[in-house]
């Protein structure tokens, strides 16, 4: 069996090449251009998304920094208010202790004075009481 190359082989080859050029022009080039356009759109969207993500990360970092500063400020203010409240409580407690001490001293002095007055009164009436008691005993 021998293969002979005649004119039909060359006609088929030309036919194949023309068909390839037509298919390339009508189908493959539009598909490639669509794919290239889509790839460009996807890359542009990816770049836009990346830029947006960078901006959001930067804004989030600024937000966190501001929140940190505010929290620190609030903590400092809270500590200061707590310290002031403790100082005020100590002052009020000291004042209340002083008042209680003075009231107790006044009360002790008043009781002493009343005790002395009662004792003096009783000592002054001892002679009268003893006379009355003796009169009742002897009577």
């Amino acid at each position: 069996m021998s293969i002979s190359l005649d004119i039909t082989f060359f006609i088929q080859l030309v036919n194949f090449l023309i068909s390839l050029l037509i298919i390339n022009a009508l189908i493959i080039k539009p598909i490639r251009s669509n794919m290239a356009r889509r790839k460009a759109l996807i890359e542009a969207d990816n770049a836009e998304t990346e830029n947006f993500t960078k901006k959001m990360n930067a804004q989030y970092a600024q937000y966190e920094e501001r929140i940190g500063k505010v929290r620190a400020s609030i903590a400092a203010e809270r500590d200061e208010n707590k310290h002031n409240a403790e100082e005020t409580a100590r002052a009020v407690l000291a004042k209340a202790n002083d008042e209680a001490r003075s009231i107790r001293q006044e009360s002790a002095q008043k009781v002493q004075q009343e005790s002395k007055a009662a004792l003096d009164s009783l000592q002054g009436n001892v002679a009268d009481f003893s006379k009355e008691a003796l009169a009742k005993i002897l009577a």
Side-chain angles (χ1 to χ4, degrees):
M1 187 154 158
S2 76
I3 299 177
S4 65
L5 295 177
D6 57 355
I7 192 86
T8 58
F9 173 75
F10 294 110
I11 293 173
Q12 289 293 330
L13 185 62
V14 170
N15 188 19
F16 173 74
L17 293 174
I18 291 172
S19 297
L20 187 62
L21 289 175
I22 291 172
I23 289 174
N24 190 29
L26 294 178
I27 296 174
I28 295 175
K29 279 188 181 179
I31 289 175
R32 283 186 181 166
S33 67
N34 280 341
M35 288 175 64
R37 194 169 7 107
R38 285 183 184 174
K39 183 178 180 182
L41 285 173
I42 289 171
E43 288 174 356
D45 286 345
N46 287 342
E48 185 178 335
T49 302
E50 188 174 318
N51 288 336
F52 179 77
T53 303
K54 286 179 183 177
K55 286 180 185 177
M56 286 300 104
N57 287 338
Q59 287 179 353
Y60 183 73
Q62 289 175 350
Y63 167 78
E64 286 294 324
E65 182 180 339
R66 285 184 293 189
I67 289 293
K69 287 179 182 178
V70 169
R71 284 181 180 158
S73 169
I74 288 172
E77 187 176 337
R78 181 191 66 225
D79 291 343
E80 181 181 341
N81 289 340
K82 184 178 178 182
H83 178 71
N84 291 341
E86 288 172 353
E87 289 294 322
T88 303
R90 276 190 222 115
V92 168
L93 187 59
K95 184 178 177 183
N97 284 338
D98 290 343
E99 287 178 11
R101 197 174 298 117
S102 68
I103 290 171
R104 189 180 74 225
Q105 287 174 349
E106 288 174 9
S107 297
Q109 288 175 352
K110 188 176 179 182
V111 166
Q112 248 180 353
Q113 289 171 353
E114 289 176 359
S115 298
K116 187 176 180 185
L119 185 63
D120 290 342
S121 170
L122 287 176
Q123 283 179 348
N125 294 334
V126 167
D128 294 335
F129 289 143
S130 59
K131 285 181 187 177
E132 278 182 40
L134 205 65
K136 287 185 182 179
I137 293 175
L138 295 175

